[in-house]
């Protein structure tokens, strides 16, 4: 028997090497996992002398098996991919995911929260609209239902937040672009729909100032979630006006970058590396389509699977404990530079 004191399911998952969703499934119904997996879990229970909080588990069996998942705009492949990961993890834990899209509107987000609240879910995973959210409605929901926020951080709301480290990731790609060519100008919407865009704007300004380069913000009009169209139309206006202060453009997100790539093509400008290239274009997020653009888009990645895994782990830790968190956790996951042919 190992002498280490295991305090909760999260620590047991770490030392046993068995995923939290699989452990949750076992403790809800041991026969729901494969015989070999059951043997591994029972061996680890014996080795570490861990006994889960049976009272909390029994209490949780009285809850519905529903887990709410709310995203701001499911037509965006970025959120569709995260939602897919979340759904599979929730199903793997023996629960039922209820996936809802807010379609980019405050009223629909509020309706989604009310609909979920009515079915008394065991917990919820929320990616709120951010600046457009009715914060009082989100706060009221989070007080009633154990909730973990992801992607968009509304300060103080929910038991935890899991998301992308925009400061680290933006600094990473700014450093790369400055080392390999002209310092980038930052292409963005003047009033961004996604709250992460404001963080990236600040991170870009800070990174350029720290490296001693000028700050160039290329801000275009547009609202809503049709980012490719906004990038195309805004990019064409900038190219036509001769308003590009650099041959390197860092876009606030990959979807804007895809639009800017199309603008450059329509204007006869070659994008990429080496002789004959007029522009370098980079993005942010490693959008599922970014590797298939022409040329493939250089970007900085968000870890879809890691954000989903950490969000689900944190939520099920709350559900299994039967208690609310003593303090709100904020977990920021670092981005990774993805070098392709566009920059």
């Amino acid at each position: 028997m190992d002498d280490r004191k295991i305090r909760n399911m999260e620590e047991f998952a770490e030392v046993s090497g068995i995923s939290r969703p699989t452990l949750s499934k076992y403790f809800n119904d041991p026969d729901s996992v494969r015989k070999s997996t059951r043997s591994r879990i029972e061996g680890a229970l014996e080795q570490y002398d861990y006994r889960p909080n049976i009272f909390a588990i029994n209490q949780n069996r009285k809850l519905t098996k529903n887990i709410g998942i709310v995203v701001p705009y499911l037509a965006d492949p970025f959120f569709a991919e995260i939602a897919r990961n979340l759904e599979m993890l929730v199903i793997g834990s023996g629960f039922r995911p209820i996936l809802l899209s807010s379609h980019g509107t405050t009223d629909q987000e509020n309706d989604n929260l009310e609909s979920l609240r009515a079915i008394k879910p065991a917990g919820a995973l929320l990616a709120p609209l951010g600046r457009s959210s009715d914060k009082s409605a989100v706060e009221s929901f989070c007080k009633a239902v154990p909730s973990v926020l992801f992607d968009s951080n509304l300060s103080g709301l929910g038991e935890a937040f899991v998301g992308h480290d925009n400061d680290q990731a933006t600094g990473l790609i700014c450093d790369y672009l400055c080392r390999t060519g002209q310092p980038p100008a930052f292409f963005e919407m003047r009033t961004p729909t996604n709250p992460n865009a404001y963080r990236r704007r600040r991170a870009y300004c800070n990174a350029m100032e720290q490296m001693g380069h000028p700050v160039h913000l290329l801000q275009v009009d547009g609202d809503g979630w049709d980012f490719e169209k906004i990038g195309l139309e805004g990019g064409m206006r900038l190219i036509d006006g001769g308003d590009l202060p650099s041959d390197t453009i860092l876009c606030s997100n990959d979807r804007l970058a895809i639009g800017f790539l199309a603008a450059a093509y329509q204007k006869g400008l070659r994008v990429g590396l080496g002789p004959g290239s007029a522009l370098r274009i980079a993005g942010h997020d490693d959008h599922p389509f970014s590797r298939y653009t022409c040329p493939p888009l250089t970007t900085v990645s968000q870890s879809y699977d890691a954000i989903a895994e950490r969000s689900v782990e944190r939520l099920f830790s709350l559900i299994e404990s039967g208690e609310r968190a003593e303090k709100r956790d904020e977990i920021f996951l670092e981005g990774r530079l993805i070098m392709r042919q566009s920059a």
Side-chain angles (χ1 to χ4, degrees):
M1 184 177 68
D2 196 295
D3 292 333
R4 176 177 174 180
K5 178 65 175 176
I6 306 300
R7 296 171 298 177
N8 52 46
M9 193 92 71
E10 191 166 325
E11 291 185 1
F12 182 60
E14 180 185 346
V15 298
S16 66
I18 301 165
S19 72
R20 280 292 304 278
T22 300
L23 292 174
S24 298
K25 197 171 183 180
Y26 169 83
F27 287 120
N28 276 294
D29 178 8
D31 292 330
S32 66
V33 301
R34 289 180 298 192
K35 185 176 180 181
S36 59
T37 302
R38 189 164 65 248
S39 296
R40 283 183 62 208
I41 293 172
E42 290 169 355
L45 287 170
E46 184 68 25
Q47 178 182 354
Y48 294 102
D49 193 29
Y50 172 65
R51 295 295 177 266
N53 187 338
I54 299 301
F55 173 76
I57 291 174
N58 288 335
Q59 285 295 105
N60 289 332
R61 285 176 178 156
K62 297 177 184 178
L63 299 172
T64 70
K65 302 294 287 184
N66 298 323
I67 298 293
I69 303 172
V70 179
V71 297
Y73 196 71
L74 194 54
D76 186 324
F78 171 79
F79 289 111
E81 181 64 15
I82 288 186
R84 183 187 69 82
N85 279 275
L86 291 171
E87 282 189 308
M88 297 308 295
L89 290 166
V90 168
I91 292 168
S93 299
F95 283 70
R96 291 184 295 268
I98 307 295
L99 176 60
L100 299 171
S101 171
S102 298
H103 302 297
T105 71
T106 307
D107 288 344
Q108 186 60 55
E109 182 171 89
N110 289 348
D111 287 347
N112 288 341
L113 297 178
E114 285 302 311
S115 296
L116 282 177
R117 199 165 174 173
I119 64 172
K120 299 183 178 356
L125 298 157
L126 309 177
L129 293 170
R131 293 171 67 91
S132 299
S133 291
D134 178 347
K135 292 186 179 179
S136 63
V138 179
E139 181 178 16
S140 176
F141 178 87
C142 291
K143 285 181 178 178
V145 178
S147 301
V148 170
L149 274 59
F150 66 96
D151 185 67
S152 178
N153 190 9
L154 293 180
S155 181
L157 301 188
E159 308 290 319
F161 168 78
V162 181
H164 183 55
D165 189 336
N166 286 290
D167 290 339
Q168 176 269 339
T170 304
L172 183 67
I173 197 163
C174 283
D175 176 73
Y176 165 75
L177 293 173
C178 289
R179 285 189 289 104
T180 55
Q182 290 186 14
F186 190 70
F187 179 73
E188 62 169 352
M189 294 164 62
R190 194 179 311 279
T191 54
T193 303
N194 191 316
N196 285 314
Y198 291 96
R199 299 182 182 96
R200 293 173 188 178
R201 175 192 295 170
R202 291 194 298 269
Y204 162 80
C205 293
N206 290 337
M208 299 303 283
E209 289 171 357
Q210 289 173 9
M211 288 186 285
H213 298 302
V215 171
H216 294 296
L217 299 178
L218 305 177
Q219 299 181 327
V220 295
D221 294 325
D223 54 27
W225 291 81
D226 198 355
F227 298 148
E228 291 86 359
K229 180 181 179 182
I230 294 168
L232 169 64
E233 294 177 350
M236 291 182 70
R237 285 194 296 271
L238 288 168
I239 293 169
D240 282 340
D243 294 330
L244 298 180
S246 170
D247 68 7
T248 303
I249 310 299
L250 172 59
C251 299
S252 179
N253 63 56
D254 285 351
R255 292 182 61 196
L256 284 174
I258 289 170
F260 208 111
L261 283 172
Y265 175 80
Q266 291 191 27
K267 292 300 178 181
L269 298 178
R270 180 178 175 181
V271 175
L273 304 169
S277 295
L279 289 174
R280 295 191 304 159
I281 296 175
H284 196 134
D285 288 332
D286 198 21
H287 183 285
F289 298 161
S290 63
R291 70 190 62 189
Y292 304 115
T293 58
C294 187
L297 186 65
T298 290
T299 184
V300 61
S301 71
Q302 293 204 51
S303 179
Y304 299 82
D305 53 353
I307 290 173
E309 288 171 5
R310 295 293 293 273
S311 298
V312 171
E313 286 175 359
R314 192 67 190 88
L315 181 62
F316 278 102
S317 176
L318 290 167
I319 294 171
E320 289 157 2
S321 71
E323 300 175 354
R324 292 302 184 98
E326 294 182 4
K327 67 174 185 176
R328 184 179 189 265
D329 290 336
E330 291 190 348
I331 301 167
F332 295 96
L333 303 176
E334 292 191 349
R336 183 168 59 91
L337 182 65
I338 307 294
M339 292 179 288
R340 300 193 179 106
Q341 285 73 44
S342 72

